[in-house]
């Protein structure tokens, strides 16, 4: 049985502290130091040797991209920082107790996941990944200790009432109650019957009785929407319980009443709204449990982040003079005296999924030139906002990113929008309030033009689509109800963005013959085609108000941040640092990946100390 590198990564994905590191790691089993190679660095006096780092590199995708130029020391630094943190975490968690049964449970999961049913299968598997049973269990125990230590950090967090209430003040919109209705509905398969039932309701017949007799949904409950089992009393429900067109019609009845017949999903709906319950701001007391849970989770994330920072800050790291890796971590910016080291920028850059893709496409220098300045700018802004949060004396909770976001909310709490601003937002952003065009679409594809033409002609004459397609060798694809840009380009253009005419047939509107690029021929059948509709302002004014307010608050927060930048003492050295990392032009031109320089001999004593 062959085990791939990807499979090895998956194994330890079960255990690795992925939240702390952008990459999943494998430790090298501890054995003979001579077999493990020379020591490259020490973390709190514990050596990390060549073989271990080589194995770790195999599970770090960035190294597979063969970085060159300034990218090489940047990726090296990012990688080594992860190694240092994980080593320091393992050391800090060394005294945490993990039972043998917990370790055995994880081993059993690995064996089950990879189908290692026999002892020989398991032995072969361990040999392929370079482990013994004992070293695998040691690695698992280390990972479980780290996880348990982090859980201890979370469990130690306590949330004050002041923090909970302040969190609610900042995130009040999150806890707004939605509009709800109490209603009954009748759902039938026949449009004529639905219209008849509507007329009978308007004439005075009891809606619940008609629902019991005719409805395909909740008939035994008199069509009561949201009713509990055994009850026929409707309960307040939000829009989500109805298909969208039904919800739009029902929730438009602010004074209650009866909707028109609405088609959705091939059925016909009739809704009697008994009460409209408008949404709005909830009081803290109404949502206190949810707020406390959310605020506590945010404070726990903050505690874990602070713990990881503290573990890294305490770590003493020394490097041997081997020239295998280039670790560079100068200060690239200061913000009112607070330093931002290069490793922080690298962490932000290389955790962006776009960056490895750019490097793979040979655009690594673009990643350096664009992503590093942009990421440093983001860190400078975050630092300024966190400094303001500290000055405010307010009980912000959350990670650094979350607190930076929340201080913007705090600064704009008193911002409001006028009715004129809401109307202006609606007029300037119509696409936000549009019900998109739609159509039910089927397409039938043929290998030859003659069969396609015959199919189209006979379909227009009234023959059944499925039978006819089967007879003539056509392949039917039912796309269902679609909106623009959800179909293949040719069909999408024909149905939604052209003025093409369609022939009428008993099965729907039939397109002209479509010749595709691969030489096949297609006929489209379209039903229930509806144009794009701009929802009236009165219907969406609450949504428009919320969006207009969010836009205004964001603009004011950005203006405030600009003021903070202008008044702050900021020194940005990133350009100079990156220039120093770039190899000389002649060296870069000569470099073709050949002729590596042999590393210098090393003793087991630290040769260099890095900050």
């Amino acid at each position: 049985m062959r085990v791939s590198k990807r499979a090895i990564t998956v194994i330890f994905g079960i255990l690795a502290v992925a939240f702390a590191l952008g990459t999943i790691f494998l430790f090298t089993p501890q054995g003979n130091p001579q077999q493990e190679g020379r020591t490259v660095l020490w973390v709190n006096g514990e050596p990390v040797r060549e073989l271990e780092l080589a194995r770790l590199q195999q599970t770090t995708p960035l190294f597979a991209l063969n970085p060159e130029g300034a990218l090489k020391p940047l990726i090296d630094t990012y990688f080594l920082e992860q190694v240092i943190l994980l080593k320091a975490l393992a050391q800090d968690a060394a005294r945490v107790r993990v039972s043998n049964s917990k370790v055995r449970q994880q081993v059993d999961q690995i064996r089950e996941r990879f189908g290692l049913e026999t002892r020989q299968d398991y032995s072969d598997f361990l040999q392929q990944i370079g482990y013994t049973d004992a070293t695998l269990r040691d690695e698992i125990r280390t990972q479980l200790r780290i996880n348990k230590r982090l859980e201890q950090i979370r469990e130690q967090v306590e949330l004050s009432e002041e923090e909970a209430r302040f969190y609610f003040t900042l995130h009040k919109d999150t806890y707004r109650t939605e509009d709800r209705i109490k209603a009954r509905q009748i759902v039938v398969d026949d449009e004529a019957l639905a219209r008849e039932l509507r007329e009978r309701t308007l004439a005075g017949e009891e809606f619940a009785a008609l629902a019991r007799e005719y409805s395909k949904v909740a008939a035994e409950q008199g069509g009561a929407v949201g009713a509990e089992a055994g009850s026929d009393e409707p309960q307040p429900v939000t829009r989500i319980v109805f298909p969208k067109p039904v919800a739009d019609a029902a929730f438009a009845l602010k004074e209650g009443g009866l909707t028109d017949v609405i088609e959705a999903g091939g059925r016909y709906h009739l809704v009697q709204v008994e009460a409209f319950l408008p949404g709005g701001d909830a009081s803290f007391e109404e949502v206190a449990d949810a707020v406390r849970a959310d605020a506590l989770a945010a404070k726990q994330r903050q505690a874990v982040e602070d713990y990881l920072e503290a573990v890294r800050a305490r770590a003493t790291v020394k490097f041997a003079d081997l020239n295998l890796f280039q670790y560079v971590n100068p200060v690239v910016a200061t913000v009112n005296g607070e330093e931002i080291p290069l490793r922080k920028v690298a962490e932000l850059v290389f955790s962006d999924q776009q960056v490895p893709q750019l490097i793979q496409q040979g655009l690594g220098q673009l990643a350096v030139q664009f992503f590093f300045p942009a990421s440093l700018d983001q860190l400078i802004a975050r630092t300024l906002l966190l400094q303001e949060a500290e000055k405010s004396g307010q009980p912000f909770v959350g990670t650094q990113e979350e607190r930076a976001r929340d201080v913007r909310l705090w600064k704009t709490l008193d911002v409001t929008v006028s009715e004129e601003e809401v109307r202006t937002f609606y007029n300037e952003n119509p696409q936000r309030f549009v019900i998109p065009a739609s159509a039910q679409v089927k397409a039938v594809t043929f290998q030859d033009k003659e069969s396609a033409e015959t199919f189209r002609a006979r379909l227009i004459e009234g023959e059944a689509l499925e039978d006819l397609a089967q007879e003539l060798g056509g392949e039917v694809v039912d796309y269902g109800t679609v909106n623009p840009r959800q179909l293949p380009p040719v069909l999408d253009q024909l149905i939604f963005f052209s003025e093409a005419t369609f022939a009428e047939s008993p099965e729907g509107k039939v397109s002209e013959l479509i010749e595709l690029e691969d030489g096949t021929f297609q006929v489209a059948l379209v039903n229930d085609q509806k144009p794009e509709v701009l929802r009236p302002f009165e219907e969406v004014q609450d949504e428009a108000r919320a969006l207009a307010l969010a836009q205004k608050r964001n603009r004011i927060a950005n203006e405030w941040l600009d003021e903070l930048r202008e008044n702050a003492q900021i020194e940005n050295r990133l350009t100079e640092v990156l220039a120093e990392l770039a190899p000389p032009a002649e060296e870069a031109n000569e470099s073709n990946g050949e002729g590596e320089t042999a590393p210098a001999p090393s003793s087991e004593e630290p040769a260099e100390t890095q900050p």
Side-chain angles (χ1 to χ4, degrees):
M1 182 183 73
R2 179 172 177 77
V3 182
S4 68
K5 187 190 305 179
R6 170 63 181 160
I8 297 173
T9 303
V10 169
I11 295 169
F12 291 92
I14 301 170
L15 307 170
V17 281
F19 64 88
L21 314 168
T23 310
I24 294 170
F25 285 114
L26 292 171
F27 275 78
T28 298
Q30 297 300 310
N32 188 329
Q34 292 182 346
Q35 294 176 343
E36 295 170 15
R38 295 163 296 179
T39 297
V40 178
L41 72 155
W42 291 259
V43 179
N44 295 325
E46 182 179 339
V48 181
R49 296 187 171 88
E50 288 177 289
L51 181 57
E52 178 170 0
L53 290 174
R55 289 170 61 89
L56 295 173
Q57 282 181 287
Q58 291 177 7
T59 58
T60 306
L62 286 166
F63 280 103
L65 303 176
N66 298 316
E68 298 177 346
L71 269 178
K72 177 68 167 63
L74 293 171
I75 290 177
D76 280 357
T77 301
Y78 171 68
F79 167 68
L80 290 172
E81 275 297 323
Q82 293 182 327
V83 174
I84 292 164
L85 177 57
L86 193 56
K87 278 289 186 183
L89 281 172
Q91 293 165 357
D92 190 71
R95 295 185 179 181
V96 175
R97 297 189 63 181
V98 172
S99 67
N100 291 335
S101 63
K102 291 291 186 183
V103 175
R104 184 167 58 251
Q105 183 180 11
Q106 294 296 330
V107 172
D108 290 343
Q109 286 186 19
I110 291 172
R111 294 187 63 167
E112 180 179 355
R113 185 162 189 174
F114 289 91
L116 309 175
E117 297 181 359
T118 68
R119 181 174 297 181
Q120 187 61 49
D121 289 340
Y122 179 56
S123 178
D124 293 344
F125 173 82
L126 290 174
Q127 185 175 3
Q128 287 186 41
I129 65 173
Y131 274 73
T132 66
D133 180 67
T135 52
L136 176 62
R137 289 173 187 271
D138 285 345
E139 168 62 11
I140 290 172
R141 191 180 302 277
T142 297
Q143 298 284 0
L144 291 177
R145 280 173 172 161
I146 292 173
N147 290 345
K148 193 170 181 179
R149 179 73 182 109
L150 294 171
E151 189 56 37
Q152 290 174 350
I153 298 296
R154 295 187 192 94
E155 290 174 352
Q156 292 169 3
V157 174
E158 295 182 356
L159 184 76
S160 70
E161 186 70 7
E162 181 187 13
E163 289 169 332
R165 288 185 177 274
F166 184 67
Y167 187 89
F168 172 72
T169 299
L170 296 178
H171 299 278
K172 187 177 292 185
D173 288 348
T174 305
Y175 303 99
R176 283 177 59 90
T177 58
E178 298 181 55
D179 290 346
R180 296 171 296 164
I181 60 173
K182 292 178 69 174
R184 296 180 185 272
Q185 68 174 338
I186 294 174
V187 182
V188 294
D189 295 329
D190 181 70
E191 182 178 6
L193 174 59
R195 297 200 176 281
E196 176 191 334
L197 295 174
R198 185 174 190 276
E199 293 303 319
R200 289 170 64 178
T201 301
L202 293 174
E205 290 192 49
E206 184 186 11
F207 190 91
L210 293 173
R212 287 190 181 92
E213 184 175 353
Y214 295 102
S215 183
K216 301 290 186 180
V217 176
E220 67 281 1
Q221 296 171 299
V225 180
E228 297 177 357
S231 171
D232 61 0
E233 284 299 315
Q235 297 298 314
V237 295
T238 60
R239 298 174 60 95
I240 198 170
V241 303
F242 299 101
K244 187 177 185 306
V246 180
D248 290 342
F251 278 78
L253 298 175
K254 302 291 195 275
E255 304 300 325
L258 186 65
T259 68
D260 199 350
V261 173
I262 306 144
E263 189 276 330
R267 285 183 158 183
Y268 298 89
H269 300 248
L270 191 61
V271 181
Q272 185 180 62
V273 178
E274 297 182 358
F276 179 85
L277 308 171
D281 291 336
S283 68
F284 175 78
E285 288 69 25
E286 289 176 303
V287 293
D289 289 345
V291 173
R292 289 191 180 101
D294 292 342
L296 178 61
K299 192 173 182 181
Q300 288 173 329
R301 290 191 294 273
Q302 177 182 347
V304 168
E305 184 181 68
D306 291 347
Y307 166 71
L308 296 176
E309 286 286 341
V311 168
R312 175 60 187 93
R314 291 196 302 266
T316 300
V317 182
K318 298 180 180 180
F319 288 82
D321 188 15
L322 294 181
N323 298 322
L324 296 178
F325 294 90
Q326 294 173 262
Y327 181 90
V328 287
N329 189 31
V331 172
V332 292
T334 58
V335 182
N336 295 324
E338 187 171 340
E339 297 179 345
I340 300 177
L342 180 60
R343 67 181 178 89
K344 288 288 188 183
V345 188
E347 179 184 345
L348 199 57
V349 170
F350 293 124
S351 61
D352 188 319
Q353 296 302 310
Q354 296 181 67
V355 173
Q357 296 174 10
L358 286 173
I359 298 173
Q360 190 172 28
Q361 296 167 15
L363 301 174
Q365 292 310 306
L366 177 63
V368 174
Q369 295 166 10
F370 174 75
F371 281 89
F372 270 82
S375 295
L376 178 56
D377 189 66
Q378 183 179 338
L379 289 173
I380 290 172
R382 181 196 296 177
T383 302
L384 286 168
L385 292 169
L386 290 173
Q387 290 173 351
E388 289 302 306
E390 188 69 24
K391 290 178 188 176
S392 74
Q394 298 294 336
F396 292 95
V397 295
T399 63
Q400 291 184 8
E401 187 65 34
E402 290 168 340
R403 281 177 283 147
R405 177 202 64 203
D406 283 358
V407 77
R408 290 168 59 96
L409 295 177
W410 170 73
K411 188 65 178 179
T412 58
L413 274 177
D414 296 332
V415 174
T416 60
V417 286
S418 66
E419 290 303 314
E420 181 181 355
E421 288 174 313
V422 176
R423 175 73 73 167
T424 299
F425 183 89
Y426 171 82
N427 291 334
E428 292 179 351
N429 300 275
Q431 287 304 312
R432 289 178 175 267
F433 308 104
V434 159
I435 299 174
S438 63
Q440 294 179 8
V441 180
K442 291 182 180 180
V444 187
T445 305
F446 296 88
Q447 296 301 313
D448 63 280
K449 184 176 182 179
E450 182 180 354
S451 297
E453 288 177 335
T454 302
F455 170 82
R456 182 177 183 276
R458 290 171 61 180
L459 184 65
I460 293 171
E461 291 172 0
E463 294 192 44
L465 180 144
E466 297 290 346
D467 294 342
L468 193 53
Q470 185 174 5
E471 176 187 337
L472 296 173
E475 181 183 351
V476 180
V477 177
D478 186 349
Y479 292 101
T481 300
V482 293
N483 304 119
R485 298 179 180 84
Q486 293 180 344
L487 289 168
V490 174
L491 277 179
D492 192 58
Q493 179 67 30
L494 176 70
I495 294 169
F496 292 115
F497 301 102
S498 76
E499 297 181 359
T501 57
F502 289 74
E504 296 290 341
S505 82
E507 297 240 17
K509 296 180 179 180
V510 183
S511 74
E512 295 290 340
L513 210 61
I514 306 165
E515 184 173 0
L516 302 179
E517 290 183 356
D518 62 0
T520 60
F521 296 86
Q522 196 171 70
V523 178
L525 184 74
V526 180
N527 279 290
D528 196 26
Q529 187 166 10
K530 298 175 182 177
E532 178 180 276
V533 176
L534 177 63
R535 297 162 66 192
F537 176 74
E538 292 71 24
E539 182 181 319
V540 298
Q541 58 183 325
D542 289 344
E543 180 182 350
R545 180 174 291 103
L547 291 170
L549 178 59
Q551 183 187 70
K552 186 175 181 180
R553 292 180 71 177
N554 189 57
R555 174 176 57 79
I556 291 174
N558 286 339
E559 291 171 354
W560 175 56
L561 181 57
D562 289 340
E563 289 180 15
L564 293 177
R565 287 179 185 274
E566 290 176 8
N567 297 324
Q569 295 181 346
I570 300 174
E571 182 184 2
N572 186 335
R573 293 193 59 254
L574 181 64
T575 300
E576 294 93 321
V577 169
L578 293 179
E580 292 169 3
L581 295 179
E586 58 274 14
E587 179 182 327
N589 292 335
E590 293 173 3
S591 175
N592 59 6
E594 298 178 1
E596 295 183 5
T597 302
S602 169
S603 69
E604 287 296 296
E605 291 300 320
E608 183 178 354
T609 301
Q610 296 285 351

